[in-house]
Short mmCIF file of all heavy atoms in Angstrom, two decimals:
data_model
loop_
_atom_site.label_atom_id
_atom_site.label_comp_id
_atom_site.label_asym_id
_atom_site.label_seq_id
_atom_site.Cartn_x
_atom_site.Cartn_y
_atom_site.Cartn_z
N LEU A 22 61.69 94.90 -37.70
CA LEU A 22 62.63 94.69 -36.51
C LEU A 22 63.77 95.72 -36.44
O LEU A 22 64.09 96.26 -35.36
CB LEU A 22 63.19 93.24 -36.68
CG LEU A 22 64.16 92.77 -35.55
CD1 LEU A 22 63.41 92.81 -34.21
CD2 LEU A 22 64.73 91.41 -35.81
N ILE A 206 76.30 115.02 9.56
CA ILE A 206 77.65 115.54 9.62
C ILE A 206 78.67 114.41 9.55
O ILE A 206 78.52 113.38 10.21
CB ILE A 206 77.80 116.34 11.00
CG1 ILE A 206 76.87 117.48 11.07
CG2 ILE A 206 79.27 116.75 11.17
CD1 ILE A 206 77.20 118.57 10.04
N ALA A 271 81.90 104.98 -4.62
CA ALA A 271 80.46 105.30 -4.33
C ALA A 271 79.92 104.29 -3.38
O ALA A 271 80.37 103.07 -3.37
CB ALA A 271 79.65 105.43 -5.58
N GLU A 336 93.05 132.50 -20.08
CA GLU A 336 93.46 131.09 -20.37
C GLU A 336 94.07 130.44 -19.23
O GLU A 336 93.90 129.23 -19.08
CB GLU A 336 94.41 131.12 -21.64
CG GLU A 336 93.71 131.18 -22.97
CD GLU A 336 93.01 129.96 -23.32
OE1 GLU A 336 93.36 128.85 -22.89
OE2 GLU A 336 91.94 129.98 -24.03
N LYS A 430 57.73 100.63 -15.93
CA LYS A 430 56.58 101.17 -15.03
C LYS A 430 57.05 102.36 -14.26
O LYS A 430 58.22 102.49 -13.83
CB LYS A 430 56.13 100.11 -14.07
CG LYS A 430 55.19 99.06 -14.73
CD LYS A 430 54.48 98.24 -13.70
CE LYS A 430 53.42 97.23 -14.32
NZ LYS A 430 52.67 96.63 -13.33
N ASN A 434 51.42 107.45 -7.01
CA ASN A 434 50.86 107.63 -5.63
C ASN A 434 49.66 108.56 -5.69
O ASN A 434 49.70 109.72 -6.00
CB ASN A 434 52.00 108.29 -4.67
CG ASN A 434 51.52 108.32 -3.27
OD1 ASN A 434 50.60 107.73 -2.86
ND2 ASN A 434 52.20 109.18 -2.51
N GLU A 448 47.71 103.95 -19.63
CA GLU A 448 46.79 103.03 -20.28
C GLU A 448 45.75 102.51 -19.31
O GLU A 448 46.07 102.17 -18.17
CB GLU A 448 47.57 101.76 -20.79
CG GLU A 448 48.65 102.13 -21.79
CD GLU A 448 49.46 100.95 -22.24
OE1 GLU A 448 49.59 99.95 -21.44
OE2 GLU A 448 50.02 100.88 -23.39
N LYS A 459 20.03 98.07 -10.63
CA LYS A 459 19.28 98.88 -9.63
C LYS A 459 17.91 98.24 -9.42
O LYS A 459 17.43 98.17 -8.24
CB LYS A 459 19.15 100.31 -10.06
CG LYS A 459 18.52 101.22 -9.02
CD LYS A 459 18.60 102.68 -9.53
CE LYS A 459 17.94 103.56 -8.53
NZ LYS A 459 17.97 105.00 -9.04
N ASP A 468 11.49 92.44 -1.01
CA ASP A 468 11.34 91.09 -0.51
C ASP A 468 11.75 91.06 1.00
O ASP A 468 11.13 90.31 1.82
CB ASP A 468 12.27 90.02 -1.31
CG ASP A 468 11.59 89.82 -2.60
OD1 ASP A 468 10.47 90.16 -2.83
OD2 ASP A 468 12.36 89.39 -3.50
#
Side-chain angles (χ1 to χ4, degrees):
L22 182 61
I206 298 297
E336 277 292 328
K430 283 195 173 184
N434 185 17
E448 299 176 336
K459 186 176 179 181
D468 290 341

